[in-house]
Amino acid sequence: MIENHTSQGSYSRKIIIALGFTTMISFFLYLPALWSFFTKSDAIAVNFYSYGDAFENATFYEFTKETGITVNVKVFESNEELLAQFEINGGSSYDVASPSDYMVEILHEKGLIQEINTSLLTNYTQLDNRLLNRNFDPGNKYSVPYEWSYFGLGYDKRFFGETLPVESWAMIFSDKLPGMERNFKICI
């Protein structure tokens, strides 16, 4: 009688190959963690959460060049996304964030941000007083202004004449204007 040993050998080889691939895949998946474990440094880093287009990468490069502090940037698309992220991790994953004004008050009310020690900010006394002590953060305990944006409206006098026929927001937001036909477009 002849026994068939080839099927047992084939099965063993398949197991060895599967274990080899599993080991190799695991090694590559954990390689970044292993690399950081063996190459630990005392480098200081700041975790910054910002609108996607609020700051140029050159700003962070220059900051790192001047201070030696690495900036890890994560971006958000809306204040609501920032709030959701802070609620998930309690705000503990970020050192600095740049929400809009109204969100500062919400983050403070929910206990998701800490007070700022403004005595450590060397240029704090040089900030324009008109930008400080706003209603969303009296005393600037939780925020420091970094940008001042303003908007304006303009109109083409060649189209409308020297004065607007209707001096009201209705010219922008209403399809029906009293005493005139809406034959113009609003552009951004």
Side-chain angles (χ1 to χ4, degrees):
M1 184 177 210
I2 300 175
E3 292 183 28
N4 187 356
H5 293 287
T6 57
S7 64
Q8 282 185 340
S10 174
Y11 181 72
S12 297
R13 272 184 263 155
K14 288 179 183 178
I15 290 177
I16 291 171
I17 290 171
L19 286 172
F21 276 120
T22 304
T23 302
M24 188 170 59
I25 290 170
S26 298
F27 175 76
F28 284 114
L29 288 174
Y30 288 102
L31 187 61
L34 289 170
W35 181 260
S36 66
F37 177 77
F38 288 112
T39 60
K40 281 185 182 175
S41 69
D42 294 330
I44 299 172
V46 172
N47 298 312
F48 184 63
Y49 203 30
S50 173
Y51 277 112
D53 60 352
F55 296 91
E56 293 184 23
N57 288 336
T59 305
F60 303 118
Y61 174 77
E62 289 297 320
F63 179 83
T64 300
K65 187 174 158 186
E66 288 179 24
T67 65
I69 299 171
T70 303
V71 182
N72 301 316
V73 180
K74 183 171 180 183
V75 297
F76 59 91
E77 296 299 320
S78 70
N79 282 303
E80 290 68 30
E81 182 182 335
L82 174 139
L83 177 60
Q85 187 67 39
F86 271 48
E87 286 178 326
I88 289 169
N89 63 28
S92 64
S93 297
Y94 307 103
D95 301 307
V96 179
S98 64
S100 297
D101 53 6
Y102 76 92
M103 188 53 67
V104 172
E105 187 174 16
I106 294 169
L107 292 168
H108 163 60
E109 288 172 356
K110 291 181 175 269
L112 297 172
I113 55 177
Q114 298 177 2
E115 283 192 32
I116 298 172
N117 183 351
T118 56
S119 68
L120 298 174
L121 304 175
T122 57
N123 292 334
Y124 185 77
T125 57
Q126 297 174 14
L127 291 173
D128 189 328
N129 286 328
R130 294 176 292 176
L131 304 176
L132 301 174
N133 297 310
R134 307 311 297 173
N135 62 337
F136 60 89
D137 186 15
N140 290 94
K141 294 179 180 180
Y142 303 96
S143 67
V144 176
Y146 72 91
E147 177 180 64
W148 183 3
S149 299
Y150 58 91
F151 301 92
L153 296 174
Y155 67 93
D156 188 348
K157 288 183 178 181
R158 295 173 297 185
F159 183 83
F160 288 106
E162 288 297 317
T163 60
L164 293 172
V166 178
E167 292 190 14
S168 163
W169 287 107
M171 287 197 68
I172 296 174
F173 297 111
S174 178
D175 289 335
K176 295 180 182 178
L177 299 170
M180 74 175 286
E181 182 183 332
R182 173 91 187 235
N183 58 352
F184 58 89
K185 296 185 188 244
I186 302 296
C187 302
I188 296 176

